[in-house]
Structure formats: C-alpha cells, structure tokens
Amino acid sequence: MGKFMKQGRVVLVLSGRFAGRKAVIVKNHDDGSNERQYAHALVAGIERYPRRVTRRMGTKKIKKRSRIKPFVKVYNYNHLMPTRYSVDVAIDKQVVNKDVFREPTLKKKAKKEVKIKFQNRYKTGKNRWFFTKLKF
C-alpha cells in the first residue's frame, strides 16, 4: 500500500479540541521519531472558518468576515482522516516546524505565518472546499 499522508494533503481532525476541523499536512513522519515512536504529522488547520459574504456587504464587513483563525499541532495518524483533496500552500518550514511548541512566541509566529498564507489562498478563490465549514 502506498503512502498517502503526504505534504499538502487535506485531512480531517477526528479527536481532541479541533475535532471536525480541516487541516493540511505540513510535515509527515511515517516511521515516527525519537520523542514520538508512532506515525504522526505536523498539521496546520483552520480553527475558525471565514463567514459567508454577500454582494450588499461593505468592504469593511467583507474584510472582517473573511478572517481565518489557524491552529498548528502534531497529530497521530490515528486521529487524522485523509481526504482526496490537496492544497498547495507554500508554508515556510523554517517558521512552522516541531520546535515551535517549545516556546510560545515561536508558536505565535507560526500561527501568524499560516494565517497569512491561508487568507491569501482564500482571497484567490481556489480550494473552496477547504475553506468551508464541515457540515455533519
């Protein structure tokens, strides 16, 4: 069986605080690592999705409703469900990596980086499914 948990793959988070949220794999570790002996992945996802926008709304309101709140987290493969979709967002790996979780300021920088990338992608209108809330 081939490896399908690759960078850029959209996954659904199945458990924990962000259950039901969509995320993108930033870095995958199929064989595990020293601190985590199980298969896991560093993911960047959407904690708060952008809201619906209509034509009659003003530019200020549209800008406010188009905001995205991201999250960055390491998940076990058992808690992720891969989808057929992939998003080619170029997230800087020097800013978003496993070392981010050791210091709060680094994590804040990583979230800011992800937020900028996601909002730019949202404004282009591509990957529309990724930016819509999962209905279940």
Side-chain angles (χ1 to χ4, degrees):
M1 193 163 109
K3 299 192 190 300
F4 47 87
M5 294 283 221
K6 294 181 179 172
Q7 180 185 340
R9 172 71 59 193
V10 176
V11 293
L12 300 176
V13 179
L14 299 176
S15 63
R17 182 178 171 191
F18 304 113
R21 303 279 190 241
K22 295 173 191 169
V24 178
I25 295 177
V26 177
K27 179 111 175 78
N28 60 324
H29 299 277
D30 292 326
D31 302 323
S33 62
N34 291 338
E35 59 259 3
R36 291 181 168 92
Q37 278 82 31
Y38 49 86
H40 59 281
L42 174 68
V43 298
I46 301 175
E47 185 177 342
R48 189 169 52 234
Y49 291 93
R51 298 175 72 194
R52 182 166 295 199
V53 173
T54 60
R55 263 193 221 145
R56 39 190 316 193
M57 291 180 188
T59 54
K60 187 179 177 185
K61 192 165 192 171
I62 289 173
K63 192 174 181 182
K64 191 168 186 174
R65 290 176 79 100
S66 298
R67 288 189 187 148
I68 294 170
K69 186 177 181 184
F71 69 87
V72 178
K73 203 165 179 197
V74 176
Y75 273 106
N76 187 333
Y77 277 3
N78 295 338
H79 305 298
L80 298 174
M81 185 171 114
T83 63
R84 63 182 178 169
Y85 300 102
S86 58
V87 177
D88 54 334
V89 177
I91 297 172
D92 189 15
K93 288 189 180 153
Q94 272 71 34
V95 180
V96 183
N97 54 28
K98 278 188 172 181
D99 301 330
V100 163
F101 303 105
R102 296 198 176 107
E103 202 172 318
T105 55
L106 291 174
K107 190 169 184 179
K108 200 169 185 181
K109 264 187 198 173
K111 278 185 172 181
K112 199 169 193 176
E113 163 80 13
V114 171
K115 182 177 183 172
I116 291 166
K117 298 289 183 180
F118 280 173
Q119 283 184 340
N120 289 343
R121 178 48 62 100
Y122 176 69
K123 285 175 189 170
T124 61
K126 294 180 181 174
N127 307 107
R128 207 167 195 158
W129 179 82
F130 179 67
F131 295 106
T132 56
K133 197 172 186 178
L134 190 66
K135 294 175 182 163
F136 64 95

